[in-house]
Amino acid sequence: MTVPLTRNRNYTLLWGGQAVAEVGFAASLIALPLLVLAMTGSPAAAGLVLSVDATAQFLAGLPAGALVDRWDRRKIMLACEAAQALALGSLVLALISDTATLAHIVVVAAVLGVCRALFEPAEDASLPRLVPDSQLATAIAMNSARSSLGQMAGTALGGVLFAVGRFVPFLLDLVTHCLAFVALLFVRMPPREPVAVSERHFLREIGDGLRWVWQRKEIRVTALCAVVLNLFFAAFYMVVLVLADARGVSSGAIGVMAAMLGVGGVVGALIAPWLHRVLGPYVSIASVFWALTVLTPVAYFVSDGYVMGGLFALMTLLAPTANTTIATHQMLLTPDAMRGRLSGVVSVVLGVAGALGPALGGLLTQFLSADRAVLVCAVGIALVTAFVTVSPTLRRYSAEQEGVPNEV
């Protein structure tokens, strides 16, 4: 009999440690630009720090995936937690002693970005070895809920703690990474098969990961559709912020509106294991595209920030189910020796959409009215939804490798 996921000691240790680390990370992420603004008064410098963090994670993505498949994944996760704790500790000491510089903050941001690039594929690739196939979808959904909860709590804490003291959010992040490190020490990872010597050429390993993703049509098509959807949704989010401001929505209401994205993500992640079983693979994936196609044009008519927040929550409600279905299928389809590279490639590809989406939204609002920019985003989402609807690859999307229904 399969042990319920909540009684899986190794998974709960990993999940719990990363739950607290997510809170600390979100607190630091909101506090970093506030810190740079307070030190320099330059919005450009504040944006630079966040850009360095994201760029470091993006550039390290492909090499990180290959390293995750080459090295011991648990040791990689431990090293990442230790490196982040050391970087944050140096920043806390510099802030307390009033010796922090912009260059120091940039280096810390780069370290955090590289560590996430390594840790995320290491955790993703380890998950199928920590939980049985029948519970993998539930574990992936719970990780998604963990991230959303951590983002909500950490973002709120970061601003409050920064008002208490500039170093306090980073001290929180330091403590949470230390706790996550301790939790990882007690995780027992099942042994992996040794990697053949002939496969250990690093650049060849990166190329193998890219070829693996490209040659698997299901992975290639779902990744392409996800990139286009994320691109237009990220642009839509930027456009809606401009539109809300133009319609006189208060900053407080805009904050609530943005927070509702997280609320929808949390609720969606909690119901994702159930929806994943009930809807089936194709409907699980297509439903998020259909929902966004219907809901995006509604923003054209909404002028109240709180109503827009409710719309945002509905828009993100089904995303965890689609992500759970796709990630579960991909992990079970991919050999263990390739899972790190799979995660690295997918994160890099999706990172492109995350980086270009806000820029696209900014350009749309620069050359069009915000109202018309909403409609452009709606058309873009509708086109990719039409492709998803008729795609024979997605209609044949199979979960036959995912096993029996999940147990929590």
Side-chain angles (χ1 to χ4, degrees), residues 306-374:
Y306 299 106
V307 174
M308 190 64 225
L311 189 64
F312 272 166
L314 290 174
M315 288 176 137
T316 54
L317 189 65
L318 294 176
T321 301
N323 292 339
T324 296
T325 299
I326 293 169
T328 302
H329 185 74
Q330 288 178 352
M331 280 295 170
L332 292 176
L333 176 69
T334 305
D336 180 70
M338 293 287 294
R339 284 171 176 159
R341 279 165 283 182
L342 167 72
S343 180
V345 171
V346 171
S347 66
V348 166
V349 170
L350 294 180
V352 172
L356 295 181
L360 174 61
L363 288 173
L364 288 174
T365 53
Q366 179 74 27
F367 295 104
L368 301 172
S369 67
D371 289 14
R372 291 183 178 178
V374 166

XYZ file of all heavy atoms in Angstrom, residues 306-374:
486
model
N -10.835 46.306 -7.434
C -11.149 45.076 -6.703
C -11.835 44.051 -7.610
O -11.593 42.843 -7.497
C -12.027 45.406 -5.496
C -11.334 46.333 -4.521
C -11.696 47.686 -4.424
C -10.295 45.871 -3.727
C -11.047 48.545 -3.551
C -9.639 46.717 -2.844
C -10.016 48.054 -2.758
O -9.363 48.892 -1.899
N -12.660 44.535 -8.518
C -13.277 43.626 -9.492
C -12.198 43.040 -10.399
O -12.204 41.843 -10.721
C -14.343 44.365 -10.322
C -14.885 43.457 -11.431
C -15.478 44.834 -9.418
N -11.232 43.889 -10.786
C -10.128 43.405 -11.610
C -9.317 42.374 -10.848
O -8.824 41.389 -11.436
C -9.240 44.591 -12.027
C -8.197 44.237 -13.083
S -8.931 43.731 -14.647
C -7.930 42.303 -15.032
N -9.170 42.562 -9.549
C -8.471 41.578 -8.725
C -9.171 40.237 -8.752
O -8.532 39.175 -8.868
N -10.502 40.257 -8.668
C -11.271 39.020 -8.774
C -11.087 38.364 -10.131
O -10.998 37.129 -10.236
N -11.005 39.190 -11.176
C -10.773 38.670 -12.518
C -9.398 38.005 -12.602
O -9.245 36.924 -13.181
C -10.878 39.803 -13.534
C -10.875 39.422 -15.019
C -12.095 38.591 -15.362
C -10.824 40.686 -15.884
N -8.393 38.643 -12.003
C -7.053 38.060 -11.966
C -7.066 36.702 -11.261
O -6.416 35.751 -11.702
C -6.089 38.997 -11.235
C -5.435 40.014 -12.133
C -4.775 41.109 -11.586
C -5.450 39.888 -13.508
C -4.153 42.044 -12.392
C -4.836 40.818 -14.336
C -4.188 41.899 -13.769
N -7.780 36.630 -10.140
C -7.842 35.366 -9.402
C -8.447 34.258 -10.263
O -7.956 33.119 -10.272
C -8.643 35.541 -8.110
N -9.510 34.583 -10.989
C -10.120 33.596 -11.873
C -9.164 33.187 -12.993
O -9.130 32.023 -13.413
C -11.408 34.163 -12.478
C -12.591 34.349 -11.524
C -13.744 35.050 -12.236
C -13.047 32.996 -10.968
N -8.378 34.146 -13.483
C -7.459 33.853 -14.578
C -6.362 32.872 -14.169
O -5.901 32.072 -14.984
C -6.819 35.157 -15.083
C -7.770 36.050 -15.856
S -6.966 37.601 -16.296
C -7.501 37.797 -17.982
N -5.925 32.939 -12.920
C -4.828 32.081 -12.483
C -5.309 30.793 -11.817
O -4.488 29.957 -11.442
C -3.924 32.843 -11.494
O -4.722 33.371 -10.415
C -3.215 33.985 -12.178
N -6.610 30.622 -11.699
C -7.163 29.491 -10.962
C -6.821 28.151 -11.611
O -6.529 27.168 -10.916
C -8.682 29.644 -10.853
C -9.408 28.654 -9.928
C -8.981 28.853 -8.485
C -10.917 28.836 -10.059
N -6.852 28.093 -12.933
C -6.649 26.822 -13.626
C -5.201 26.589 -14.056
O -4.861 25.476 -14.481
C -7.554 26.752 -14.857
C -9.060 26.717 -14.566
C -9.849 26.752 -15.868
C -9.425 25.471 -13.763
N -4.355 27.604 -13.940
C -2.960 27.449 -14.379
C -2.220 26.332 -13.644
O -1.493 25.549 -14.284
C -2.222 28.778 -14.227
N -2.372 26.197 -12.316
C -1.662 25.099 -11.639
C -2.057 23.716 -12.142
O -1.225 22.805 -12.161
C -2.040 25.286 -10.158
C -2.360 26.738 -10.031
C -3.029 27.091 -11.335
N -3.314 23.541 -12.542
C -3.742 22.231 -13.059
C -3.021 21.923 -14.369
O -2.517 20.807 -14.570
C -5.263 22.208 -13.288
O -5.927 22.483 -12.056
C -5.711 20.851 -13.796
N -2.950 22.906 -15.263
C -2.232 22.704 -16.525
C -0.750 22.456 -16.267
O -0.146 21.542 -16.859
C -2.420 23.921 -17.428
N -0.153 23.247 -15.375
C 1.270 23.064 -15.064
C 1.532 21.696 -14.460
O 2.547 21.050 -14.761
C 1.735 24.157 -14.105
C 1.739 25.529 -14.745
O 1.781 25.645 -15.973
N 1.681 26.573 -13.936
N 0.630 21.247 -13.575
C 0.783 19.938 -12.949
C 0.733 18.831 -13.990
O 1.561 17.913 -13.993
C -0.328 19.723 -11.896
O -0.166 20.676 -10.844
C -0.259 18.313 -11.316
N -0.220 18.914 -14.896
C -0.366 17.891 -15.940
C 0.874 17.842 -16.830
O 1.423 16.765 -17.104
C -1.613 18.183 -16.795
O -2.768 18.141 -15.953
C -1.763 17.176 -17.913
N 1.329 19.004 -17.264
C 2.480 19.065 -18.169
C 3.751 18.597 -17.471
O 4.501 17.764 -17.991
C 2.648 20.491 -18.721
C 1.474 20.844 -19.636
C 3.968 20.627 -19.479
C 1.415 22.309 -20.020
N 4.016 19.125 -16.267
C 5.251 18.786 -15.552
C 5.294 17.308 -15.186
O 6.345 16.660 -15.287
C 5.386 19.653 -14.303
N 4.159 16.758 -14.753
C 4.117 15.344 -14.389
C 4.427 14.462 -15.590
O 5.258 13.542 -15.524
C 2.731 14.979 -13.821
O 2.451 15.813 -12.688
C 2.687 13.514 -13.387
N 3.767 14.751 -16.699
C 3.975 13.947 -17.902
C 5.422 14.049 -18.379
O 6.041 13.034 -18.751
C 3.017 14.408 -18.988
C 3.090 13.557 -20.224
N 2.566 12.288 -20.287
C 3.656 13.779 -21.434
C 2.781 11.773 -21.493
N 3.435 12.659 -22.197
N 5.973 15.259 -18.365
C 7.337 15.445 -18.842
C 8.346 14.715 -17.961
O 9.296 14.096 -18.460
C 7.664 16.937 -18.909
C 6.949 17.666 -20.038
C 7.248 19.144 -20.052
O 7.884 19.681 -19.138
N 6.795 19.829 -21.092
N 8.167 14.787 -16.649
C 9.098 14.129 -15.736
C 9.055 12.607 -15.892
O 10.075 11.927 -15.837
C 8.792 14.514 -14.293
C 9.334 15.878 -13.898
S 11.145 15.900 -13.946
C 11.446 17.664 -13.733
N 7.857 12.054 -16.083
C 7.733 10.606 -16.234
C 8.196 10.148 -17.612
O 8.663 9.017 -17.770
C 6.284 10.183 -15.991
C 5.791 10.354 -14.546
C 4.319 10.000 -14.437
C 6.614 9.494 -13.590
N 8.092 11.003 -18.601
C 8.548 10.681 -19.947
C 10.073 10.694 -20.042
O 10.668 9.963 -20.828
C 7.953 11.694 -20.942
C 8.385 11.587 -22.411
C 7.805 10.321 -23.037
C 7.925 12.816 -23.192
N 10.717 11.515 -19.214
C 12.154 11.771 -19.317
C 12.943 10.835 -18.402
O 12.614 10.698 -17.229
C 12.454 13.232 -18.943
O 11.664 14.097 -19.758
C 13.927 13.557 -19.146
N 14.005 10.212 -18.911
C 14.868 9.386 -18.054
C 15.473 10.212 -16.929
O 15.711 11.422 -17.091
C 15.948 8.879 -19.015
C 15.384 9.042 -20.377
C 14.462 10.218 -20.306
N 15.751 9.566 -15.798
C 16.291 10.279 -14.651
C 17.566 11.044 -14.998
O 17.788 12.154 -14.524
C 16.558 9.298 -13.506
C 17.127 9.982 -12.283
O 16.385 10.747 -11.626
O 18.325 9.785 -11.987
N 18.395 10.465 -15.842
C 19.674 11.094 -16.190
C 19.508 12.361 -17.015
O 20.475 13.114 -17.197
C 20.554 10.101 -16.962
N 18.283 12.638 -17.514
C 18.039 13.820 -18.344
C 17.125 14.832 -17.663
O 16.869 15.897 -18.230
C 17.390 13.402 -19.668
C 18.270 12.582 -20.594
S 19.562 13.582 -21.357
C 18.576 14.666 -22.370
N 16.612 14.530 -16.481
C 15.573 15.369 -15.893
C 16.065 16.760 -15.510
O 15.324 17.732 -15.597
C 14.964 14.664 -14.681
C 14.007 13.554 -15.066
C 13.570 12.723 -13.890
N 12.584 11.717 -14.292
C 12.315 10.622 -13.606
N 12.959 10.387 -12.457
N 11.418 9.757 -14.023
N 17.311 16.869 -15.076
C 17.845 18.189 -14.758
C 17.915 19.072 -15.979
O 17.553 20.251 -15.949
N 18.361 18.496 -17.088
C 18.452 19.273 -18.326
C 17.072 19.630 -18.863
O 16.881 20.724 -19.405
C 19.258 18.482 -19.370
C 20.765 18.610 -19.162
C 21.549 17.581 -19.938
N 21.489 16.274 -19.289
C 22.118 15.199 -19.746
N 22.829 15.273 -20.862
N 22.044 14.043 -19.087
N 16.118 18.718 -18.724
C 14.744 19.047 -19.114
C 14.260 20.274 -18.356
O 13.755 21.239 -18.945
C 13.820 17.865 -18.827
C 12.320 18.173 -18.895
C 11.881 18.379 -20.338
C 11.502 17.071 -18.240
N 14.411 20.263 -17.034
C 13.953 21.393 -16.221
C 14.696 22.668 -16.567
O 14.108 23.751 -16.640
C 14.134 21.055 -14.728
O 13.695 22.109 -13.915
N 16.013 22.550 -16.806
C 16.793 23.730 -17.161
C 16.367 24.347 -18.474
O 16.212 25.566 -18.589
N 16.152 23.496 -19.488
C 15.731 23.996 -20.804
C 14.361 24.654 -20.712
O 14.144 25.761 -21.240
C 15.709 22.854 -21.835
C 15.054 23.319 -23.137
C 17.120 22.361 -22.117
N 13.413 23.999 -20.046
C 12.056 24.545 -19.938
C 12.068 25.879 -19.189
O 11.388 26.836 -19.588
C 11.125 23.534 -19.241
C 9.779 24.176 -18.931
C 10.923 22.308 -20.135
N 12.854 25.974 -18.114
C 12.893 27.226 -17.351
C 13.490 28.359 -18.169
O 13.036 29.512 -18.078
C 13.684 27.041 -16.047
O 15.052 26.781 -16.315
N 14.492 28.059 -18.984
C 15.091 29.086 -19.849
C 14.085 29.549 -20.902
O 13.919 30.748 -21.145
C 16.376 28.553 -20.518
C 16.814 29.469 -21.652
C 17.494 28.444 -19.490
N 13.393 28.590 -21.524
C 12.427 28.928 -22.568
C 11.298 29.786 -21.996
O 10.924 30.823 -22.576
C 11.858 27.641 -23.207
C 10.690 27.969 -24.114
C 12.947 26.923 -23.999
N 10.772 29.385 -20.849
C 9.703 30.171 -20.230
C 10.227 31.508 -19.714
O 9.487 32.494 -19.657
C 9.059 29.380 -19.100
C 8.309 28.115 -19.527
C 7.716 27.419 -18.307
C 7.216 28.422 -20.533
N 11.499 31.532 -19.326
C 12.093 32.790 -18.864
C 12.131 33.851 -19.951
O 12.034 35.047 -19.666
N 12.264 33.417 -21.204
C 12.241 34.363 -22.322
C 10.902 35.088 -22.371
O 10.832 36.313 -22.534
C 12.510 33.625 -23.643
C 12.292 34.562 -24.834
C 13.933 33.080 -23.664
N 9.818 34.314 -22.204
C 8.481 34.930 -22.224
C 8.302 35.867 -21.048
O 7.737 36.957 -21.185
C 7.410 33.840 -22.191
N 8.799 35.462 -19.875
C 8.679 36.314 -18.694
C 9.439 37.620 -18.841
O 9.012 38.657 -18.322
N 10.571 37.562 -19.556
C 11.378 38.772 -19.746
C 10.806 39.682 -20.820
O 10.824 40.912 -20.691
C 12.813 38.383 -20.093
N 10.286 39.089 -21.896
C 9.806 39.891 -23.020
C 8.375 40.384 -22.828
O 7.986 41.401 -23.415
C 9.885 39.076 -24.314
C 11.285 38.682 -24.799
C 11.204 37.891 -26.100
C 12.158 39.919 -24.977
N 7.573 39.671 -22.022
C 6.173 40.038 -21.846
C 5.959 41.459 -21.351
O 5.215 42.235 -21.971
N 6.589 41.842 -20.223
C 6.412 43.222 -19.754
C 6.876 44.260 -20.771
O 6.269 45.329 -20.899
C 7.277 43.274 -18.482
C 7.332 41.850 -18.017
C 7.359 41.027 -19.269
N 7.976 43.940 -21.491
C 8.452 44.870 -22.523
C 7.414 45.019 -23.630
O 7.156 46.128 -24.125
C 9.776 44.376 -23.102
N 6.796 43.904 -24.031
C 5.742 43.956 -25.037
C 4.563 44.789 -24.535
O 4.017 45.625 -25.278
C 5.272 42.545 -25.386
C 4.067 42.441 -26.331
C 4.382 43.079 -27.677
C 3.646 40.983 -26.508
N 4.189 44.586 -23.269
C 3.105 45.384 -22.693
C 3.428 46.865 -22.687
O 2.570 47.713 -22.989
N 4.677 47.189 -22.359
C 5.089 48.585 -22.364
C 5.029 49.203 -23.756
O 4.579 50.347 -23.933
N 5.466 48.453 -24.762
C 5.419 48.948 -26.135
C 3.976 49.134 -26.610
O 3.664 50.130 -27.287
C 6.151 47.972 -27.060
C 7.674 47.944 -26.952
C 8.248 46.815 -27.799
C 8.266 49.287 -27.380
N 3.116 48.200 -26.255
C 1.716 48.308 -26.665
C 1.063 49.563 -26.084
O 0.333 50.276 -26.777
C 0.939 47.065 -26.230
C 1.235 45.778 -27.011
C 0.501 44.601 -26.387
C 0.847 45.924 -28.480
N 1.342 49.834 -24.803
C 0.749 51.019 -24.180
C 1.419 52.303 -24.651
O 0.839 53.383 -24.543
C 0.841 50.922 -22.644
O 2.203 50.672 -22.263
C -0.042 49.810 -22.113
N 2.659 52.162 -25.173
C 3.356 53.342 -25.691
C 2.744 53.796 -27.015
O 2.596 54.991 -27.273
C 4.838 53.010 -25.887
C 5.677 54.152 -26.446
C 5.934 55.239 -25.422
O 5.947 54.985 -24.226
N 6.114 56.466 -25.895
N 2.384 52.838 -27.866
C 1.923 53.169 -29.214
C 0.411 53.052 -29.389
O -0.131 53.505 -30.403
C 2.638 52.279 -30.238
C 4.114 52.529 -30.308
C 5.010 51.646 -29.733
C 4.611 53.665 -30.935
C 6.388 51.880 -29.789
C 5.974 53.910 -30.990
C 6.871 53.012 -30.421
N -0.270 52.418 -28.432
C -1.724 52.297 -28.488
C -2.300 52.782 -27.169
O -1.583 52.915 -26.174
C -2.143 50.831 -28.706
C -1.632 50.118 -29.953
C -1.989 48.639 -29.869
C -2.224 50.736 -31.212
N -3.590 53.028 -27.146
C -4.229 53.289 -25.866
C -4.245 51.981 -25.069
O -4.178 50.886 -25.635
C -5.660 53.786 -26.070
O -6.468 52.752 -26.621
N -4.324 52.107 -23.735
C -4.334 50.912 -22.893
C -5.527 50.024 -23.217
O -5.431 48.790 -23.186
C -4.342 51.318 -21.414
N -6.667 50.649 -23.544
C -7.849 49.870 -23.906
C -7.575 48.986 -25.126
O -7.907 47.793 -25.134
C -9.023 50.806 -24.213
C -9.568 51.478 -22.965
O -8.897 51.425 -21.932
O -10.682 52.029 -23.035
N -6.980 49.573 -26.144
C -6.702 48.808 -27.359
C -5.611 47.763 -27.116
O -5.635 46.684 -27.713
C -6.287 49.757 -28.479
C -7.427 50.634 -28.981
C -6.990 51.515 -30.133
N -8.094 52.319 -30.639
C -7.977 53.199 -31.627
N -6.796 53.385 -32.222
N -9.036 53.897 -32.028
N -4.664 48.088 -26.240
C -3.600 47.130 -25.916
C -4.185 45.883 -25.264
O -3.706 44.759 -25.508
C -2.570 47.782 -24.995
N -5.218 46.056 -24.442
C -5.900 44.898 -23.846
C -6.457 44.003 -24.948
O -6.335 42.768 -24.897
C -7.036 45.352 -22.896
C -7.956 44.178 -22.547
C -6.456 45.951 -21.629
